[in-house]
Amino acid sequence: MNLKLILALFFSISLFVSCDLEELPQNVDIVGPTNLADLEALLNAGYNDLGWPLGGNAQLYAEINGDNISGPVGINSDETEIYNRSTSFFNNIIRDNMYRGFYRIVLDANVVLGQIENNLDALGLSATDARVKEIKGEALLLRSIALFEVSRFMSQSPGYSADNSHLGIQYITSVNNAIGQKRETVAQNYGNLISDLKEAESLLNTTNTKNQYYANKAAAQAYLAKVFFQAGFGPNIDTAGSNYEQAFSYANSALTNTSAIFDVNLYQGGATGTERFAGNLVVNDNTETPNVETIFGIVSETTANSKGGTFGRYRTDLAVTNTTIRIMQDLYNTVPSTDKRKALLTEVDGEYFLKKFDKGILHIPLAHYTELLLIRAEAAAETSKLPQAETDINLILNRAGLSTISGLSKVQLITLVREQRRIELLGEGNRINDLKRIGVNETSLTIRNAPWNCNGMVFQFPATEVFTGFIQNPTGGCN
């Protein structure tokens, strides 16, 4: 299929037509952009498109696949397939749309990168221009975020096979991709992710020249930490050190270089208490900035352009209905009454709910200070940097109103950090990936009574992706 996308002077995300992955155009001529402002408009399409898969959809579907959500009450039929870990070839609308949403971001990024690679003269720009370098870094980061997230849904975690030779995803790096591009291995996927993210890190500035809400160096370092952390107990994906050593190093760099700070007022209640997903826009402009812990995220600019609507499925401040997401009772019971975060949980008629998202409009942190602190703490413990792990986890414990610790063993520290990670990041889509990462080392681990590496722990590719030579994920779920 040949398709020419005519991009006028003013661009909008509606110009990027959603296509099945294998039907993306083989030869696309991008005609229209003539200057730096036009190139920035193309880049903004990628930022805007983050809001579909990562505005709550991907986070919710990941939680449903894990052990934090109690179903099937509160979830719809498509979500029940995820909860039951069905790997049917038949279409699942929410799964398939999320998949296409991620690859739409990839397309957005590749359009920008193609312009930088092939059309700078027409734009009156040079590859050495500081802003061009920064835009390239932003596009590489956006592409990496999308491909990292879709890889965690569609492929087993690094370490599932001894050499990461199990199948990953299609790592699309050009608008002119060949129809029928086959899946790479997880080893190839993660190698490409590290390469792209390192290049993004080298191109991005400490502070983005547009404003603080666009990608910067710390954002790239945060995602490098997340990728290495997910690789965890699998074979090392970089020659510079072990996966946990690299996760520690990049988490440390992100925390050092970011303007974000540890929020001591988070979830403290009262007049000075703050929230991680702050964003209660009471008028039609941005009257409340993202939480101070946000390293990189999705910003709701106005009430008319609000993000994070899917997180509203958790809300209990309006009314509890048969579509309100329930959490597991054992998780509720895990949080002691002395823990200030208990106020984020509630019981209604013997069912348990999360109040973290009781807001009409949200800012959505995709990488935040507490998450990177927890990555650094666990990676520090895994690499026997116990004093650093203690320092980091004590910040979390102290803020929660719990007793701080000292002198714990390596195993005790790792267990504690993982427990705190589950509570702190509840509802943010991390738990299933943590369990699959841990399962590589603890091979008897189960997730809601199913093996951590059973077929149903990964999503099936949309039926429309099937073509000669394309290998789908195994069927059979977790039975």
Side-chain angles (χ1 to χ4, degrees):
M1 177 178 68
N2 293 319
L3 176 66
K4 178 176 288 187
L5 299 181
I6 306 299
L7 303 184
L9 181 60
F10 297 103
F11 302 96
S12 72
I13 57 174
S14 64
L15 290 174
F16 292 91
V17 181
S18 178
C19 302
D20 292 336
L21 178 59
E22 77 280 4
E23 294 180 354
L24 292 178
Q26 288 178 293
N27 297 292
V28 179
D29 297 322
I30 305 299
V31 179
T34 60
N35 54 40
L36 178 61
D38 292 352
L39 188 64
E40 289 176 333
L42 284 171
L43 178 66
N44 284 337
Y47 281 106
N48 287 333
D49 282 343
L50 283 174
W52 158 239
L54 290 171
N57 293 296
Q59 293 92 330
L60 176 59
Y61 307 154
E63 291 286 1
I64 290 173
N65 201 28
D67 64 353
N68 284 337
I69 301 300
S70 177
V73 177
I75 58 179
N76 63 38
S77 59
D78 278 355
E79 292 164 349
T80 298
E81 286 190 21
I82 297 171
Y83 187 79
N84 292 335
R85 299 175 178 134
S86 168
T87 52
S88 168
F89 290 121
F90 295 105
N91 285 339
N92 179 303
I93 294 172
I94 62 170
R95 175 199 68 193
D96 295 356
N97 285 344
M98 179 191 69
Y99 176 84
R100 295 187 182 97
F102 280 124
Y103 276 102
R104 181 164 171 165
I105 299 165
V106 173
L107 176 59
D108 294 337
N110 285 340
V111 168
V112 173
L113 294 168
Q115 289 292 311
I116 293 174
E117 181 71 22
N118 302 309
N119 201 40
L120 285 182
D121 286 344
L123 296 173
L125 301 170
S126 167
T128 60
D129 292 343
R131 180 59 179 145
V132 171
K133 290 181 179 180
E134 185 175 48
I135 289 173
K136 182 178 181 180
E138 291 176 78
L140 285 168
L141 177 61
L142 292 175
R143 185 173 76 187
S144 298
I145 290 172
L147 290 171
F148 175 54
E149 296 299 343
V150 77
S151 74
R152 296 205 288 182
F153 279 105
M154 312 308 292
S155 57
Q156 295 282 6
S157 188
Y160 172 83
S161 60
D163 57 357
N164 283 343
S165 60
H166 55 291
L167 286 177
I169 60 169
Q170 297 149 296
Y171 201 97
I172 307 296
T173 59
S174 172
V175 174
N176 301 313
N177 67 288
I179 292 177
Q181 180 172 330
K182 297 178 182 179
R183 299 169 67 181
E184 297 179 351
T185 66
V186 166
Q188 291 171 313
N189 284 168
Y190 274 69
N192 287 329
L193 283 169
I194 295 303
S195 177
D196 280 354
L197 285 168
K198 283 185 175 182
E199 185 175 4
E201 179 196 19
S202 72
L203 293 169
L204 290 167
N205 302 313
T206 301
T207 302
N208 192 288
T209 56
K210 295 297 288 184
N211 65 49
Q212 69 268 36
Y213 304 130
Y214 285 80
N216 56 27
K217 189 177 295 290
Q221 292 166 338
Y223 268 90
L224 278 161
K226 287 158 73 95
V227 170
F228 277 112
F229 191 65
Q230 187 65 55
F233 296 102
N236 295 335
I237 58 174
D238 190 75
T239 59
S242 75
N243 295 330
Y244 281 121
E245 287 171 342
Q246 294 288 83
F248 174 87
S249 176
Y250 279 108
N252 189 63
S253 294
L255 292 170
T256 300
N257 290 322
T258 185
S259 60
I261 60 174
F262 183 73
D263 186 359
V264 296
N265 295 314
L266 193 65
Y267 305 131
Q268 300 299 299
T272 60
T274 58
E275 299 178 33
R276 179 169 296 143
F277 286 73
N280 189 21
L281 308 185
V282 294
V283 294
N284 196 35
D285 59 22
N286 195 349
T287 58
E288 185 175 290
T289 59
N291 181 268
V292 296
E293 288 207 348
T294 303
I295 297 173
F296 182 70
I298 300 170
V299 178
S300 293
E301 293 118 348
T302 67
T303 53
N305 186 26
S306 61
K307 311 294 183 183
T310 302
F311 287 111
R313 294 280 304 285
Y314 288 94
R315 292 183 68 177
T316 60
D317 57 326
L318 301 176
V320 173
T321 70
N322 60 2
T323 62
T324 306
I325 300 298
R326 277 78 168 161
I327 65 168
M328 290 287 194
Q329 181 178 357
D330 74 297
L331 173 58
Y332 178 88
N333 292 337
T334 295
V335 185
S337 59
T338 53
D339 191 324
K340 292 181 180 180
R341 295 165 299 186
K342 191 75 169 185
L344 297 175
L345 308 176
T346 187
E347 178 184 357
V348 179
D349 297 330
E351 295 182 306
Y352 303 90
F353 302 89
L354 177 64
K355 299 168 63 179
K356 183 187 252 182
F357 309 109
D358 282 2
K359 286 272 193 177
I361 299 171
L362 305 171
H363 297 309
I364 304 152
L366 301 179
H368 56 77
Y369 201 101
T370 292
E371 179 192 11
L372 270 293
L373 199 67
L374 287 163
I375 288 176
R376 187 171 72 179
E378 188 169 343
E382 288 288 355
T383 54
S384 300
K385 301 177 183 68
L386 303 190
Q388 182 66 63
E390 284 191 353
T391 297
D392 289 345
I393 201 60
N394 277 337
L395 285 172
I396 306 292
L397 294 171
N398 184 63
R399 182 173 66 187
L402 302 175
S403 299
T404 56
I405 53 91
S406 179
L408 295 188
S409 69
K410 176 177 178 176
V411 171
Q412 290 172 321
L413 262 175
I414 290 171
T415 300
L416 176 62
V417 173
R418 289 174 180 172
E419 290 171 350
Q420 292 303 306
R421 183 174 170 87
R422 185 185 188 189
I423 296 170
E424 276 287 337
L425 305 183
L426 176 58
E428 298 178 30
N430 290 276
R431 176 66 172 171
I432 182 65
N433 296 307
D434 285 340
L435 292 172
K436 291 196 287 186
R437 170 178 57 85
I438 295 166
V440 173
N441 189 51
E442 301 176 15
T443 55
S444 61
L445 183 146
T446 59
I447 306 172
R448 277 194 291 112
N449 301 315
W452 66 273
N453 57 353
C454 64
N455 293 341
M457 293 301 170
V458 295
F459 285 16
Q460 189 56 271
F461 288 86
T464 51
E465 298 306 315
V466 177
F467 54 83
T468 302
F470 184 87
I471 301 175
Q472 283 272 31
N473 281 327
T475 58
C478 291
N479 298 325

